[in-house]
Amino acid sequence: MEMSSFNLSVRPMHDVVNEAIQYIKGRREHTISSLKTRWGKFNNVCMGGIEPNTIYTISGISGSGKSSFANLISTDLIDLNNNKEIVVLVFSLEMVGFRQIGRTLSNKLNVTTSTLYSSQQDLDYGTLKKVIDVSNELKEYPIYFIDTPGTPQQVDATIENFYQTYIKGTDKYFVIFYDHSLLTKRVGSVIETISELENVFIKHKKKPRTSIIQLSQMNREIEKPERINNPQTHYPMRSDLSSSDAMFQASDYVFVIHRPELLHITEYGPMRLPTQNKIYLHLLKNRDGGKPCILEFENDLAHNNFIEC
């Protein structure tokens, strides 16, 4: 029995313990599971994949590939979890939706977006036919796009209305992608705006089977010469995230995608890791107690892909 105190719900330990038991049993019996992505090591450090009731933050400097990484996850959720009903809502604030689809087609057809868009020579008929065939398949994906930035209050209302319309009363998994946080319409200072946005995400992640993946920029600290010239300070830190405190506290997982070769680093960090055609994914926070780690990928961004090493 729930009791109301000052309009906030009060729940007895008995009810919360029962929820925990049901969750543990569900995980054991595989009636509850995380949503898989194409990357086994990423899944392993994330409790099996994209976990319900969880906020993921993916940050990086401009050009690091964070939007492509999130775009791959959004379609992987549909392609690799056929036994589950999944609905995806994408706030594509930095890039219009059809450009995201261009990246998806690039990846699925293993051709560059330059080729798709006939930048140097006209797309050949055979490839165009494949584009149309794959596009017809993509049209059936339960993915919805929002291209217009809004205030945190507008984001809140939009998510709530979408949830009531498409998700409530079903067993569907609901995954929200937000690209990216700094493009939210201001309601004061940047810090105040991000704080409000994080409160919105914390509210909605508590809905059944709901996950949130937000993208964010890093500040310019990691690009300073003193950081670049000292291998001990190459790796990204919590303070490198823009508006780091509110975002870091709200997130269950915090990842930073980094391409050190963009900063002309030839040997990365104290372990002297290679940088040519390499992308590194740093796990800075895991609320479930996992240790920080670094995942290594081959750079295949020409085809909008990350190849796990």
Side-chain angles (χ1 to χ4, degrees):
M1 176 180 177
E2 292 191 3
M3 299 172 287
S4 180
S5 174
F6 300 105
N7 296 319
L8 297 177
S9 177
V10 178
R11 305 175 62 212
M13 174 69 89
H14 176 274
D15 290 355
V16 180
V17 169
N18 279 341
E19 279 188 6
I21 292 171
Q22 290 304 312
Y23 180 77
I24 292 169
K25 286 183 176 179
R27 293 286 301 203
R28 178 179 181 272
E29 297 163 1
H30 304 289
T31 57
I32 300 173
S33 59
S34 301
L35 302 174
K36 291 182 176 61
T37 74
R38 67 184 62 196
W39 306 294
K41 293 178 182 178
F42 176 83
N43 294 339
N44 287 341
V45 300
C46 292
M47 201 70 72
I50 302 303
E51 174 80 355
N53 311 117
T54 302
I55 297 175
Y56 299 81
T57 292
I58 301 172
S59 189
I61 64 175
S62 181
S64 58
K66 55 188 180 296
S67 293
S68 292
F69 191 81
N71 195 44
L72 288 169
I73 294 175
S74 70
T75 51
D76 280 359
L77 296 180
I78 311 302
D79 293 335
L80 304 180
N81 300 277
N82 295 324
N83 60 332
K84 299 179 177 65
E85 284 192 89
I86 302 165
V87 176
V88 175
L89 179 62
V90 179
F91 287 82
S92 184
L93 308 182
E94 187 172 38
M95 186 182 304
V96 293
F98 82 84
R99 294 284 187 181
Q100 296 281 27
I101 299 303
R103 290 184 172 190
T104 300
L105 291 168
S106 165
N107 177 252
K108 287 185 174 293
L109 296 173
N110 199 38
V111 298
T112 66
T113 52
S114 175
T115 299
L116 286 177
Y117 298 153
S118 303
S119 67
Q120 296 179 4
Q121 61 184 27
D122 292 344
L123 186 68
D124 66 90
Y125 179 78
T127 304
L128 177 60
K129 186 179 183 304
K130 291 178 182 178
V131 167
I132 293 172
D133 290 342
V134 174
S135 296
N136 286 332
E137 295 174 5
L138 291 177
K139 288 177 182 178
E140 304 303 316
Y141 281 36
I143 300 178
Y144 299 79
F145 290 86
I146 295 170
D147 294 337
T148 308
T151 65
Q153 292 79 9
Q154 290 172 317
V155 172
D156 182 20
T158 300
I159 293 174
E160 184 61 39
N161 182 64
F162 187 91
Y163 181 85
Q164 295 294 331
T165 303
Y166 294 97
I167 311 296
K168 188 175 181 180
T170 73
D171 291 330
K172 295 176 181 177
Y173 287 75
F174 182 29
V175 184
I176 301 164
F177 288 82
Y178 197 87
D179 184 8
H180 60 75
S181 59
L182 292 180
L183 296 177
T184 308
K185 275 192 175 180
R186 296 266 294 269
V187 289
S189 69
V190 172
I191 292 176
E192 289 170 334
T193 302
I194 297 299
S195 295
E196 286 295 318
L197 182 67
E198 298 310 307
N199 287 334
V200 169
F201 289 157
I202 290 171
K203 168 187 170 182
H204 289 291
K205 82 163 185 177
K206 296 181 180 179
K207 288 180 164 60
R209 293 184 173 86
T210 297
S211 310
I212 296 170
I213 300 172
Q214 65 173 333
L215 274 58
S216 180
Q217 289 286 110
M218 295 173 67
N219 58 39
R220 304 299 294 273
E221 289 295 316
I222 202 167
E223 301 178 39
K224 289 185 175 180
E226 54 267 32
R227 290 278 296 270
I228 292 173
N229 294 329
N230 182 0
Q232 300 296 326
T233 59
H234 282 173
Y235 295 164
M237 300 178 287
R238 168 179 176 169
S239 59
D240 292 320
L241 275 67
S242 295
S243 308
S244 58
D245 285 344
M247 194 172 296
F248 202 89
Q249 291 168 10
S251 301
D252 300 286
Y253 291 85
V254 176
F255 289 96
V256 174
I257 293 176
H258 198 33
R259 290 174 59 193
E261 67 179 338
L262 290 177
L263 304 180
H264 307 291
I265 294 172
T266 56
E267 293 182 323
Y268 184 44
M271 293 188 290
R272 308 291 182 179
L273 299 172
T275 65
Q276 186 174 4
N277 295 321
K278 294 290 186 180
I279 302 175
Y280 293 97
L281 185 67
H282 295 257
L283 175 58
L284 301 189
K285 178 182 179 182
N286 181 344
R287 201 187 295 275
D288 291 316
K291 295 181 179 179
C293 65
I294 306 173
L295 303 182
E296 180 183 344
F297 297 84
E298 293 290 338
N299 179 356
D300 189 28
L301 288 175
H303 303 106
N304 292 280
N305 193 20
F306 288 65
I307 301 172
E308 190 172 60
C309 295

